[in-house]
Amino acid sequence: MKTFTQFITEATGIASAKHQEHPEDNAIKSKAGFTHAISSLRALHKGLQSGSTGDTHVSTKLDGAPAIVFGHHPSSGKFFVATKHAAFGKTPKHATTHAEVDDHYGHSAGLAQKMHHALEHLPKVTPKKGIFQGDYMHDQGDIKHEDHQVSFKPNTITYHIRKDTAEGKKAVASKMGIAVHTKVEGDPDRPETMHAHPLTDHSSFKKHPDVHMISPEAKLK
């Protein structure tokens, strides 16, 4: 029989690639995890007071959908896209062509459409090496124009951006928007080897008007 802690704690292996631990997750695991959680909260509090978190990385959990894993396969070099759950299943469903998108995700027209967008546009900004995870935030059909603002609702939260800002102009001009927050390491064909880490440096990503790159980094100033 599982203990309560085992029941509510994420498993290792595949789960560690699907899920990044938050301070509150670590707090229930061990004394060291609790210490880490307290340290993280203190660093954030200090950052809010001073405007700088030093070497502590703070990011915002954006409410996008679907969560997409994408990048160039380390063995073949081919660019692929997959949903988070399909990427780490027993039989990974990586789509390198639009036909494969239909094969893997055609059961849902809305999901397939977004995966087609991801396969077409994300190679324009993605580094030639590495596998990443991000939240799909919008495409042209999701953008709503409201007076001086544009808005989009990828999941349960509606996001608003002023049209006259740089971010607003990027959103309107783009074919899709994504918030990339995670780097995934390991062998994509062996999901049990995959591990996720926060992506703290986005400088390797290219810029392209078709892709609205939304930074999840929290600005304290």
Side-chain angles (χ1 to χ4, degrees), residues 36-97:
H36 175 265
I38 293 298
S39 176
S40 298
L41 291 173
R42 284 176 174 166
L44 178 58
H45 180 253
K46 183 178 180 180
L48 290 171
Q49 290 181 315
S50 66
S52 173
T53 57
D55 59 358
T56 300
H57 178 72
V58 180
S59 62
T60 301
K61 175 66 173 70
L62 295 172
D63 187 41
I68 297 178
V69 176
F70 63 96
H72 294 85
H73 196 290
S75 298
S76 67
K78 291 183 178 180
F79 183 86
F80 74 89
V81 296
T83 62
K84 179 174 68 172
H85 295 290
F88 303 119
K90 292 183 179 179
T91 305
K93 296 180 179 179
H94 302 156
T96 61
T97 66

Side-chain angles (χ1 to χ4, degrees), residues 44-211:
L44 178 58
H45 180 253
K46 183 178 180 180
L48 290 171
Q49 290 181 315
S50 66
S52 173
T53 57
D55 59 358
T56 300
H57 178 72
V58 180
S59 62
T60 301
K61 175 66 173 70
L62 295 172
D63 187 41
I68 297 178
V69 176
F70 63 96
H72 294 85
H73 196 290
S75 298
S76 67
K78 291 183 178 180
F79 183 86
F80 74 89
V81 296
T83 62
K84 179 174 68 172
H85 295 290
F88 303 119
K90 292 183 179 179
T91 305
K93 296 180 179 179
H94 302 156
T96 61
T97 66
H98 289 287
E100 289 178 337
V101 169
D102 288 330
D103 288 342
H104 297 325
Y105 306 105
H107 60 278
S108 171
L111 174 60
Q113 182 184 47
K114 293 182 183 301
M115 298 306 287
H116 279 300
H117 285 318
L119 182 62
E120 180 178 357
H121 300 299
L122 286 181
K124 300 172 183 177
V125 298
T126 305
K128 291 299 182 182
K129 292 184 179 180
I131 299 171
F132 306 90
Q133 184 176 313
D135 287 341
Y136 193 108
M137 299 300 291
H138 66 76
D139 52 48
Q140 289 182 324
D142 300 320
I143 298 290
K144 308 298 181 185
H145 294 263
E146 305 170 351
D147 296 325
H148 300 295
Q149 294 183 327
V150 292
S151 67
F152 46 90
K153 185 181 180 182
N155 196 15
T156 60
I157 297 175
T158 302
Y159 293 89
H160 299 268
I161 310 175
R162 287 188 60 88
K163 290 182 181 180
D164 58 0
T165 64
E167 288 299 310
K169 293 175 182 178
K170 289 178 184 178
V172 172
S174 67
K175 301 294 178 61
M176 68 167 290
I178 189 168
V180 185
H181 49 69
T182 299
K183 185 171 184 179
V184 185
E185 297 178 345
D187 183 352
D189 296 329
R190 297 171 56 211
E192 70 277 7
T193 70
M194 304 295 280
H195 295 279
H197 306 280
L199 180 64
T200 59
D201 183 4
H202 291 73
S203 62
S204 61
F205 279 81
K206 295 171 285 188
K207 295 181 180 180
H208 195 284
D210 288 346
V211 182

Side-chain angles (χ1 to χ4, degrees), residues 5 25-36:
T5 301
D25 298 321
N26 286 325
I28 63 173
K29 287 185 175 181
S30 64
K31 182 177 180 180
F34 181 81
T35 301
H36 175 265

